[in-house]
Amino acid sequence: MSSVNKNQFLRAMASPAGRLARVALGAGLIGLGLGRGQKGWPLAALGLLPLSMGAFDLSALAPLAGLPAQGEQLRDALDEDADYYVTRIGTL
């Protein structure tokens, strides 16, 4: 996956819709896990990660791309990156 595609994915996940999707995914995993009884506890525990990341505006994947984990800082960094590509393409 190219860095532009990674940045588009991270931009989508850092958006309000992406945050809502992470919260919904986490809640769904927790519900599914709790619905399965004792065998579902690991799934419910796993659901805490996307739920908490969405609720607290954090990204677990951004540091893997060398970007900040905090949502506002991530959006600022991605906006600067987009400006760089627009400027670079404009000068070619």
Side-chain angles (χ1 to χ4, degrees):
M1 186 182 291
S2 73
S3 67
V4 174
N5 289 340
K6 288 178 194 174
N7 288 349
Q8 288 174 340
F9 176 75
L10 289 172
R11 181 175 280 112
M13 287 293 101
S15 72
R19 288 182 65 193
L20 181 62
R22 286 182 283 162
V23 168
L25 174 68
L29 288 173
I30 291 169
L32 217 75
L34 294 177
R36 297 194 73 193
Q38 275 189 316
K39 290 184 179 182
W41 282 105
L43 187 59
L46 179 68
L48 289 174
L49 181 66
L51 178 78
S52 61
M53 290 295 195
F56 294 112
D57 196 15
L58 297 170
S59 173
L61 300 177
L64 298 175
L67 295 166
Q70 291 79 16
E72 188 174 341
Q73 294 173 357
L74 173 59
R75 287 185 290 278
D76 289 343
L78 290 170
D79 287 342
E80 289 174 9
D81 198 32
D83 291 342
Y84 168 78
Y85 284 113
V86 168
T87 304
R88 179 105 170 117
I89 291 170
T91 60
L92 293 178

